[in-house]
Amino acid sequence: MHVPDGFLDAPTSVATGVVAAAAVAVSLRAARRELDDRTAPMAGLVATFVFAAQMINFPVGAGTSGHLMGGALAAVLVGPWTAVLCLSVVLLVQALLMADGGITALGTNVTLIGITTVVVGWGVFVLLRRVLPSRASMVAPAAAVGAFVSVPAAALVFTGLFAVGGQAPVDLGAVLTAMLGWHVLIGLGEAAVTGLVVGSVVASRPDLVHGARPLLARRELETRKVVPQ
């Protein structure tokens, strides 16, 4: 979903740039609550994995490309604020060094990939975590569903931005159909990858998974109640 330069008009690009800059600024402060000396290296690993996954691009139409997003995956593993920073760094490096996404469209790409997918993916995950059984084994399925929903959600936001400031001579209905159709399929792949990666980390080191911490804390509290110390 990397948007190229000139695909949206200047006011729309500036607006998304302001949104992206504000989100990054807030995340820089808030991420301190999510990371410590033990979990900080995970952020680097997540950013590296997302960078590699996003390098596999294929054309969707109207000058845009499709690929795995990684927003929900990053949010569940390292927390939503840190996830915004991880994806923003990935997108910045891709724009500057790989010509993947335009420089003037960087704010748009951060808004779509680094903010929308994180917010939607994390929101769905938290909702499912509340209604599903309070077991660590439920973290991966909840993350997978969040990942699936986050991808077409980002496609819808892009379509809205295109409706406001699109510069390409493409019918809005065609853009919506292409974006949603392709990104529902991408969402299935995103869900599978997210579920497998999160499940693997939860199985080996659940203490490093941000999304699993409340469940682990609750389990520890219940254990203490059963066996007074």
Side-chain angles (χ1 to χ4, degrees):
M1 188 182 283
H2 283 79
V3 179
D5 289 325
F7 200 75
L8 300 177
D9 61 17
T12 305
S13 297
V14 170
T16 56
V18 171
V19 171
V24 170
V26 174
S27 298
L28 283 170
R29 296 179 62 86
R32 299 174 185 176
R33 300 193 299 267
E34 296 175 342
L35 297 175
D36 53 33
D37 292 340
R38 182 169 51 89
T39 58
M42 177 67 77
L45 292 174
V46 168
T48 301
F49 180 83
V50 171
F51 180 87
Q54 287 191 3
M55 294 309 295
I56 304 175
N57 286 271
F58 50 88
V60 170
T64 62
S65 60
H67 52 73
L68 295 179
M69 306 286 188
L73 171 66
V76 173
L77 289 178
V78 296
W81 300 111
T82 306
V84 170
L85 297 179
C86 287
L87 269 71
S88 297
V89 170
V90 168
L91 292 167
L92 177 62
V93 171
Q94 289 174 341
L96 293 177
L97 302 181
M98 315 296 294
D100 201 357
I103 300 298
T104 61
L106 180 60
T108 300
N109 287 316
V110 170
T111 298
L112 293 172
I113 303 172
I115 300 175
T116 301
T117 61
V118 171
V119 171
V120 174
W122 177 252
V124 172
F125 170 78
V126 170
L127 178 63
L128 290 176
R129 190 177 61 185
R130 291 175 179 173
V131 300
L132 291 174
S134 299
R135 297 196 298 266
S137 60
M138 294 292 101
V139 173
V145 175
F148 171 73
V149 176
S150 70
V151 176
L156 282 175
V157 173
F158 168 79
T159 304
L161 293 175
F162 183 82
V164 172
Q167 295 294 286
V170 183
D171 180 70
L172 181 62
V175 172
L176 176 62
T177 300
M179 293 298 291
L180 277 183
W182 277 106
H183 284 86
V184 165
L185 295 177
I186 295 172
L188 293 174
E190 182 107 9
V193 171
T194 300
L196 288 172
V197 173
V198 172
S200 299
V201 180
V202 168
S204 57
R205 289 293 304 274
D207 57 304
L208 295 181
V209 179
H210 181 85
R213 290 180 186 175
L215 301 178
L216 298 178
R218 190 179 311 164
R219 185 173 63 185
E220 183 178 351
L221 181 60
E222 292 174 351
T223 302
R224 289 181 178 180
K225 287 182 179 179
V226 175
V227 184
Q229 296 182 356

